[in-house]
Amino acid sequence: MPERGSLDHDEVLGRAFDRRLARRLWAAARAQRPLLYGTLALFPAIALAELAQPYLMKVAIDDHILAGDWLGLSVTAAAYAGTLGVLYALRSLEGYLMALVGQRVTHDLREALFGHLLRLEAGFYDRNPVGRLMTRVLNDVEAVSEAFTSGLLAIAADVITLAGVVAVMLWMDWRLALVTFAIVPLLAAVAAYFRIRARDAYREARRRLATLNAFLQESLQGVTVVQLFARERHEHAIFRRLNDDYRRALFNSTVFEASLYSSVEALGAVALALLIWYGGGQIGAGALTFGALVAFIQYTNRFFLPIRDLGAKYTVMQSAMASAERIFGLLDREPTIVAPEARSVVPEPRSSVPAIEFQSVWFAYDGDAYVLRDCTFRVAAGEHVGLVGATGEGKSTCARLLIRAYDVTRGRVLVDGVDVRDWDLERLRRRVGTVFQDTVLFTGTVADNVTLGAPVEPDALGHALEAARARDFVDALPRRRDEPLGERGANLSHGQRQLLAIARALVYNPAILVLDEATSSVDPESEWRIREAMQRLLTGRTSITIAHRLSTVQHADRILVLHRGRVHEEGTHAALVRGGGLYARLWELGLAAPDGTGSNAAPAR
Amino acid sequence: MGLILALAAANGVTRLGSRFAILGAGQRVEADLRDQLYAALQTFPPELFARHSTGDLMTRASSDVSAVRSLVGFGVVSLFSTTLAFGGALAAMLAVDPWLTACAMAAMPVLVLLARRFNVSLNERTQAMQEQLGTLSGRVQETLAGMAAVRAYTMERRAAAAFAEANRTLLERSVAVAAIQARFTPLMSLIAGAGVLVVIWVGGLDVAAGRITLGDLVAFNGYLAYLAWPTVALGLTLSVVRRGLTSMERIQEIVTAARPAPAEAAPLAAPPSLAFEDLTWGYPGRSAALSGVTFSVAPGGMVAVVGPTGAGKTTLGLLLARLWEPPPGTVFVGGRDVTTLPLATLRATVGWVPQEAFLFSRSIEDNVTLGRAGLDVAAAAREAAVDAEVAAFSGGYATIVGERGLTVSGGQRQRLALARALAGRPRILVLDDVFASVDTVTEDAIVRTLRASGLTILVATHRLRVAQAADRIVVLDGGRLVASGDHPSLLAAGGLYARLWRRQQLEEQIARA
Ligand SMILES: Nc1ncnc2c1ncn2[C@@H]1O[C@H](COP(=O)(O)OP(=O)(O)OP(=O)(O)O)[C@@H](O)[C@H]1O
Ligand SMILES: Nc1ncnc2c1ncn2[C@@H]1O[C@H](COP(=O)(O)OP(=O)(O)OP(=O)(O)O)[C@@H](O)[C@H]1O
Ligand SMILES: [Mg+2]
Ligand SMILES: [Mg+2]
């Protein structure tokens, strides 16, 4: 039996900042580069306008106010007003463009991720809970887009402003400037110290979040079970633990930011004190004007502002890197089941070739726990075959192999005489239509669920519903075919869901139809009617019907009995019953009442 | 010099402390909210789940909860410090020169008006954005969970197109939010700057006229500068607060709908009888699913409910377990109206095996125990006739099953769900079509075991041979009880049951021919 081990855990990841990763991120934003450059182009203008303000202040104080020149003062004030207007316009534009870049990167990455997920094979989904994948598509993508807006662009803006401030300060009074800068090496030391400790905290936080979301998502799906068994408190305790783990990881990841922020603020205050102490002396000595000191203090504030926020930006970049690793990790996970590009053939169905053929198929979901062992059978074109066997024997597995949801371990599966691995996947799945044991319905109307969004004549839809015996109940719904269905068809009875799934397969209209327990929850009368309708619809087509209720398959042209991973018996119902094998035993049992009180059911004997 | 450094260090430490406190508080609030949300969701009745999709709820538990964290962490602190800065600076400015203060503050009323207008439209757009995020998550969630169908029906392209559309709408709505923020946020620094402008000009003239000294003007300007950052930050703060409040509303909507979670309780001591009396009930917005249904099951007895698809068999079980609330005085367990029984007692008494078995992606053992202590997992598995298969898995009971139990076969899943119910030793067992994916041999073994166990059993089934093993058969059609009795009497009465039975006979005869 398959060894299913534990579910895939999020891989342990590589280094904190990865140049390769940064390059890929940059490449991912390719489409947004004109916008990025446009935004970058705004920065020098913004920096210029910002830097002009303290200088205008200095001019106003030193040249006009002290000189009592009111005309000059008015002109300077007008210039100041001008910078304010320009700044407003530029900042609005900057804010809008930044958001646009961020949102578009998010949009593009989401699209890429979702598209990729659609191509991944069934085995991948066996191991990766939906909630965890959703975290990638929703949260991780957002973190990455922040790398562009709050990270990259903001850092660029800061660097430009910083360079401007430094230049202006040096130009105005290099000695005073050096007093301010004296504090910088200390800052660098502080930053370096915290950075080392920040390393893995970010990844840990992302990982915990994914686990938390996966648990939450599953809880939402299984809530009825929890309620039925009054396990609310137990589940809540598990959730609380996961939630707490995440909170702690999140807190650890922000320690760095908080420490740096506070250190810079404290050091900034030191710098300011130094400045006033030293500058005051200079003014007294007549080496500095009053206006210059005022302007200098303002420049010093602007100098520390970006440095103070550096921690926040580092956090953004780090968590973006952690998310990017996870996103690219997923994007790099190539689907293992793909159509061969060059060789994919479109076979012509010929009656001389069996529609379906299993040639010594061995198959295991995991390791060497084989479900099918040397399984061989053929279904001729136009033949209707029943497939039976005890539960867990691998009937559904056969249906999955047929549409190449999984690849066989050994042997071959042929459809229309061609190995499924040589088929174009989409064509194969158009040829073989399957109604799975687990009915999947989506939110949407009844009609949407049956047509799956394909354009279908209302008539054809009506016929399919009729043949699937779904018409009566659909017409009794308040909005009939436009009745909205809940998630997974929650507002229908189980049998009704199955009927819709059958109608869906009929609309899909495949040449080969596989029904895996398609009528297991349908009453015998409806089932009988459906079979009648199907017999008309299926003439000339090939079908495989999987069922436990032998009455479902007894009319088949041939019945295959699966046992121990291979076809153990085959033949018509009558022949198998006469043969006295496994099938005959199942059949006899089916006639007796299950508590062994004997059979009321064999009047024909 | 040493003093400065000492002061700076002290300053740094207090700042660090307060920042950690703030961050920690925000994160704690976030965790608490998520916790409350989860607790509420656990107690949600089905009608609320019909109103909110999984994607919607997931969005509330992640995106909305983080928005509230920002509100508490950044928003509140920022509001607080803004108020402090305003109060302090304003007092200092007034002390220097009231007239100048009035001039510098002249722009403030404009700010307040603008902020209010902005708030309204930002709120609307944020709501719209969050809703769309919920829609998008719903899409992703449903598609990924339904991948088997997506693959089999080659729906990939259509799924991608539907996603692209939802994604585009989300982009538009997010950009609409950004557009308003881009217009508003810089407005704050414009207004702060206007104050400085007024001070330079008006104050400059005053100094020139000798009304105030230059020192006063510079000091005044310094105080005003204290206001600049909080004013600028106010824009950001307001949008964070707005978003946080919007999200808080969305979370409260869920949390306030919570019901108390039942504690663990012992099963009812009274003899486990079961009765429905004139039960009429319908799903909201639909016609009645059950009309005037009356029947009972004696302690230790077995009653089978049969009837066409959609007849109301599952609905009976749902009302019995009070997943949907039955009208008072219609459903009785051990002689007591279920609506008056504590939920915990009811659910300990009744073991309900749903038609669609659900397994968690945990080990088989955890799936059977669900964390209940002291259960005999192996015995339960044996009674559910799934022990041999579990033993054959390489991990045995520790084998972890995939999401929704999709890595075990359909029949294995159903029997594990049965084992889960049996493990809790309920006194009444409700089996909803649980033999649908089980072969006859296995079915036989299970029915025998259950009959011998002395449990009161209500079984809904499409398999007439299972029905035949019951003491009594109840036939439902379109929500009405159309016949009841044991197998021979129903055959003799010649109604729906007899017709179904004859259909089966006919097939057997054809088969034998
Ligand atoms: N995705 C999977 N990963 C690992 N093992 C699986 C997976 N799906 C099925 N199995 C195992 O493979 C075996 C065959 O399963 P399959 O679903 O084909 O049985 P089946 O004949 O359809 O049974 P049933 O009648 O109960 O539906 C079972 O033991 C099951 O546990
Ligand atoms: N959540 C719901 N909201 C609205 N209507 C519902 C809901 N669940 C079931 N119904 C409707 O109530 C009726 C009875 O459903 P119920 O599930 O009880 O049928 P059932 O007898 O169990 O059928 P089946 O044999 O198919 O399982 C059906 O017409 C169904 O469409
Ligand atoms: Mg199966
Ligand atoms: Mg039902």
Side-chain angles (χ1 to χ4, degrees):
Chain A
M1 276 297 133
E3 143 67 0
R4 267 147 267 163
S6 65
L7 300 174
D8 266 6
H9 277 296
D10 285 298
E11 331 67 47
V12 179
L13 307 153
R15 299 188 312 119
F17 186 84
D18 193 330
R19 199 166 298 148
R20 196 181 45 83
L21 210 56
R23 245 201 308 270
R24 285 193 71 175
L25 264 181
W26 184 236
R30 186 175 302 123
Q32 307 312 329
R33 278 197 210 152
L35 263 184
L36 271 171
Y37 291 137
T39 316
L40 279 175
L42 289 178
F43 293 159
I46 291 177
L48 209 62
E50 276 195 330
L51 293 179
Q53 288 179 347
Y55 191 74
L56 286 175
M57 182 80 95
K58 170 191 179 302
V59 170
I61 293 175
D62 286 352
D63 300 354
H64 307 312
I65 297 179
L66 284 178
D69 172 6
W70 71 267
L71 186 66
L73 182 63
S74 302
V75 171
T76 309
Y80 196 93
T83 60
L84 285 176
V86 169
L87 261 184
Y88 174 73
L90 289 177
R91 284 234 183 86
S92 294
L93 195 59
E94 178 206 17
Y96 182 73
L97 287 181
M98 282 229 237
L100 200 59
V101 170
Q103 296 299 343
R104 285 201 183 160
V105 170
T106 311
H107 171 270
D108 294 353
L109 269 178
R110 275 196 182 135
E111 198 130 321
L113 263 180
F114 189 72
H116 187 74
L117 281 171
L118 287 176
R119 299 198 305 135
L120 289 174
E121 69 283 351
F124 175 82
Y125 287 93
D126 287 347
R127 290 186 307 271
N128 289 282
V130 171
R132 201 176 285 162
L133 299 175
M134 281 177 69
T135 310
R136 306 257 162 111
V137 178
L138 299 170
N139 309 54
D140 281 333
V141 162
E142 237 157 47
V144 165
S145 97
E146 280 198 0
F148 287 95
T149 54
S150 312
L152 206 62
L153 282 176
I155 289 174
D158 284 352
V159 166
I160 291 173
T161 314
L162 213 55
V165 170
V166 168
V168 172
M169 284 169 86
L170 285 174
W171 170 70
M172 277 179 63
D173 189 324
W174 64 270
R175 267 168 313 220
L176 212 51
L178 288 185
V179 171
T180 310
F181 301 158
I183 224 83
V184 169
L186 208 54
L187 270 180
V190 171
Y193 170 71
F194 287 123
R195 220 192 70 183
I196 295 166
R197 303 198 7 197
R199 273 268 160 89
D200 303 314
Y202 302 100
R203 294 196 200 119
E204 183 67 12
R206 303 308 304 177
R207 209 168 58 77
R208 299 265 181 214
L209 178 64
T211 312
L212 184 71
N213 281 347
F215 184 84
L216 178 66
Q217 200 258 351
E218 196 174 29
S219 292
L220 290 177
Q221 314 261 298
V223 73
T224 316
V225 173
V226 173
Q227 292 181 350
L228 272 174
F229 290 90
R231 301 312 296 156
E232 288 93 341
R233 282 158 204 255
H234 171 72
E235 294 296 302
H236 191 173
I238 302 181
F239 182 80
R240 193 173 297 146
R241 208 189 59 232
L242 294 177
N243 195 11
D244 217 50
D245 285 349
Y246 171 57
R247 186 185 61 74
R248 224 167 288 135
L250 190 66
F251 186 73
N252 287 341
S253 77
T254 42
V255 164
F256 163 70
E257 182 201 342
S259 311
L260 191 64
Y261 187 96
S262 314
S263 313
V264 174
E265 281 216 320
L267 289 175
V270 172
L272 212 60
L274 281 177
L275 196 66
I276 292 173
W277 170 68
Y278 179 78
Q282 293 291 89
I283 292 180
L288 190 70
T289 65
F290 201 69
L293 182 62
V294 170
F296 232 91
I297 290 174
Q298 293 192 5
Y299 282 126
T300 306
N301 280 334
R302 297 230 164 139
F303 177 75
F304 280 108
L305 209 63
I307 297 184
R308 190 190 67 185
D309 293 341
L310 201 66
K313 274 151 212 162
Y314 186 80
T315 308
V316 168
M317 288 309 273
Q318 278 307 302
S319 87
M321 284 299 153
S323 294
E325 266 177 322
R326 297 154 54 82
I327 289 173
F328 290 127
L330 184 55
L331 285 175
D332 287 345
R333 169 105 181 36
E334 283 301 322
T336 57
I337 296 193
V338 284
E341 266 159 46
R343 287 186 301 142
S344 72
V345 250
V346 187
E348 277 301 308
R350 280 166 292 150
S351 50
S352 56
V353 187
I356 298 168
E357 185 169 6
F358 274 53
Q359 289 182 352
S360 313
V361 170
W362 288 71
F363 176 75
Y365 285 97
D366 254 315
D368 57 359
Y370 286 98
V371 174
L372 297 182
R373 304 153 189 265
D374 198 17
C375 179
T376 301
F377 65 87
R378 291 168 165 224
V379 178
E383 196 181 11
H384 302 299
V385 164
L387 184 60
V388 302
T391 141
E393 276 294 352
K395 303 178 295 296
S396 301
T397 305
C398 288
R400 294 183 195 127
L401 292 180
L402 204 53
I403 61 160
R404 210 181 159 213
Y406 297 85
D407 269 336
V408 296
T409 316
R410 256 182 283 158
R412 301 205 299 164
V413 175
L414 308 168
V415 169
D416 290 336
V418 174
D419 193 320
V420 290
R421 283 168 295 196
D422 291 334
W423 272 82
D424 174 66
L425 272 185
E426 195 172 332
R427 281 175 194 278
L428 173 68
R429 291 171 186 173
R430 284 260 12 143
R431 181 90 85 209
V432 184
T434 314
V435 179
F436 282 109
Q437 196 166 7
D438 302 293
T439 314
V440 180
L441 295 182
F442 299 97
T443 349
T445 64
V446 169
D448 287 345
N449 266 289
V450 174
T451 62
L452 293 176
V456 171
E457 300 280 311
D459 258 7
L461 178 57
H463 287 314
L465 287 175
E466 179 72 54
R469 299 283 300 153
R471 197 164 186 161
D472 289 346
F473 91 79
V474 169
D475 284 347
L477 292 172
R479 293 169 63 184
R480 309 163 75 120
R481 290 176 198 178
D482 295 325
E483 177 77 4
L485 297 186
E487 252 176 277
R488 303 186 72 90
N491 49 357
L492 292 180
S493 90
H494 212 74
Q496 289 167 342
R497 289 178 226 170
Q498 285 195 332
L499 299 184
L500 288 189
I502 294 170
R504 173 194 286 171
L506 294 178
V507 167
Y508 195 61
N509 195 15
I512 301 173
L513 182 63
V514 180
L515 300 171
D516 185 358
E517 295 286 6
T519 50
S520 63
S521 297
V522 175
D523 60 285
E525 192 169 51
S526 304
E527 186 188 22
W528 184 77
R529 293 256 168 74
I530 292 169
R531 199 167 52 238
E532 264 189 339
M534 289 271 208
Q535 260 162 8
R536 265 182 285 116
L537 292 172
L538 287 180
T539 34
R541 283 167 214 258
T542 312
S543 77
I544 295 187
T545 307
I546 301 174
H548 285 300
R549 257 197 251 164
L550 299 185
S551 59
T552 310
V553 293
Q554 70 188 34
H555 301 273
D557 297 335
R558 203 153 47 93
I559 296 169
L560 309 173
V561 183
L562 209 57
H563 185 56
R564 294 181 196 277
R566 57 200 304 175
V567 174
H568 186 78
E569 291 166 23
E570 63 179 287
T572 61
H573 172 78
L576 285 173
V577 169
R578 269 197 307 277
L582 209 60
Y583 185 85
R585 201 158 57 103
L586 285 175
W587 178 252
E588 289 303 329
L589 255 171
L591 300 180
D595 61 352
T597 51
S599 163
N600 313 335
R605 206 169 289 200
Chain B
M1 196 65 204
L3 184 67
I4 292 182
L5 281 183
L7 279 177
N11 182 353
V13 169
T14 29
R15 274 174 194 280
L16 193 65
S18 68
R19 208 161 161 77
F20 275 151
I22 292 157
L23 273 172
Q27 288 166 1
R28 242 168 236 287
V29 167
E30 177 185 16
D32 281 353
L33 273 181
R34 198 183 275 119
D35 194 65
Q36 283 180 26
L37 204 59
Y38 184 83
L41 288 175
Q42 288 278 292
T43 65
F44 253 34
E47 66 256 42
L48 283 180
F49 279 111
R51 214 172 305 147
H52 302 285
S53 74
T54 310
D56 173 15
L57 296 173
M58 291 283 289
T59 307
R60 287 176 208 244
S62 53
S63 172
D64 284 316
V65 166
S66 322
V68 176
R69 181 215 324 158
S70 306
L71 166 71
V72 174
F74 175 79
V76 166
V77 168
S78 178
L79 266 186
F80 188 66
S81 62
T82 306
T83 320
L84 268 188
F86 260 97
L90 216 55
M93 282 158 67
L94 281 172
V96 173
D97 191 324
W99 162 241
L100 211 53
T101 310
C103 290
M105 293 286 117
M108 279 298 151
V110 184
L111 180 81
V112 172
L113 281 180
L114 280 173
R116 179 165 297 162
R117 248 193 54 198
F118 154 84
N119 244 342
V120 172
S121 49
L122 188 65
N123 190 14
E124 278 167 15
R125 294 188 187 192
T126 308
Q127 283 265 19
M129 177 178 81
Q130 291 298 94
E131 255 161 44
Q132 183 61 21
L133 188 60
T135 311
L136 187 81
S137 331
R139 273 263 146 71
V140 175
Q141 194 266 330
E142 255 198 327
T143 311
L144 297 185
M147 267 313 280
V150 170
R151 201 178 298 121
Y153 287 90
T154 57
M155 285 165 66
E156 286 93 345
R157 252 187 288 256
R158 256 165 284 143
F163 176 85
E165 197 193 308
N167 199 12
R168 201 170 327 109
T169 311
L170 179 61
L171 175 65
E172 279 159 18
R173 295 193 179 173
S174 314
V175 170
V177 170
I180 240 184
Q181 278 172 341
R183 254 179 291 148
F184 184 76
T185 315
L187 204 60
M188 294 295 168
S189 48
L190 179 65
I191 284 166
V196 177
L197 178 66
V198 168
V199 170
I200 295 178
W201 196 61
V202 178
L205 292 181
D206 283 352
V207 172
R211 223 174 54 75
I212 57 171
T213 67
L214 180 60
D216 280 347
L217 180 63
V218 171
F220 190 90
N221 197 46
Y223 298 137
L224 195 61
Y226 256 106
L227 280 186
W229 172 242
T231 315
V232 173
L234 195 62
L236 192 59
T237 309
L238 282 180
S239 73
V240 166
V241 169
R242 190 62 261 168
R243 218 186 133 180
L245 290 179
T246 309
S247 292
M248 195 65 202
E249 269 170 45
R250 284 164 53 85
I251 294 168
Q252 283 307 323
E253 194 186 335
I254 304 293
V255 171
T256 50
R259 300 169 164 192
E264 283 185 44
L268 208 60
S273 66
L274 191 61
F276 297 92
E277 271 172 32
D278 194 23
L279 172 60
T280 300
W281 186 84
Y283 292 95
R286 294 269 183 96
S287 46
L290 293 171
S291 329
V293 173
T294 304
F295 72 92
S296 62
V297 190
M302 170 168 165
V303 167
V305 184
V306 302
T309 287
K313 303 181 290 298
T314 299
T315 309
L316 270 182
L318 288 169
L319 293 175
L320 172 61
R322 268 178 73 197
L323 280 167
W324 290 89
E325 204 65 22
T330 53
V331 183
F332 298 86
V333 164
R336 298 200 30 202
D337 183 349
V338 291
T339 56
T340 65
L341 274 178
L343 210 51
T345 311
L346 175 65
R347 290 183 179 164
T349 313
V350 179
W352 191 51
V353 188
Q355 202 164 8
E356 188 173 31
F358 181 94
L359 299 188
F360 294 93
S361 53
R362 305 179 189 167
S363 71
I364 288 183
E365 174 163 6
D366 285 350
N367 264 298
V368 173
T369 63
L370 290 177
R372 292 169 292 181
L375 300 190
D376 190 346
V377 176
R382 200 160 44 243
E383 288 167 45
V386 70
D387 54 331
E389 278 146 281
V390 174
F393 292 157
S394 52
Y397 286 96
T399 309
I400 297 198
V401 302
E403 222 178 12
R404 291 187 152 271
L406 291 186
T407 58
V408 296
S409 86
Q412 289 165 347
R413 203 178 321 141
Q414 262 186 339
R415 280 169 295 143
L416 286 172
L418 176 61
R420 175 192 282 163
L422 290 174
R425 300 283 152 225
R427 310 198 56 201
I428 299 176
L429 196 60
V430 181
L431 306 177
D432 194 353
D433 202 18
V434 299
F435 302 109
S437 310
V438 179
D439 59 87
T440 338
V441 180
T442 314
E443 171 187 291
D444 221 54
I446 297 172
V447 172
R448 253 179 240 276
T449 318
L450 293 183
R451 278 305 260 163
S453 69
L455 288 169
T456 306
I457 301 173
L458 182 67
V459 54
T461 185
H462 290 299
R463 298 212 182 164
L464 299 189
R465 59 186 301 276
V466 173
Q468 208 185 326
D471 304 327
R472 205 146 62 89
I473 299 166
V474 169
V475 186
L476 281 187
D477 193 5
R480 290 178 192 285
L481 192 153
V482 293
S484 88
D486 61 2
H487 177 76
S489 68
L490 281 177
L491 277 191
L496 175 63
Y497 185 81
R499 201 167 78 232
L500 290 178
W501 182 259
R502 269 198 298 280
R503 169 86 63 219
Q504 216 174 46
Q505 297 292 295
L506 195 67
E507 309 219 321
E508 278 158 16
Q509 279 164 13
I510 294 169
R512 273 160 194 281

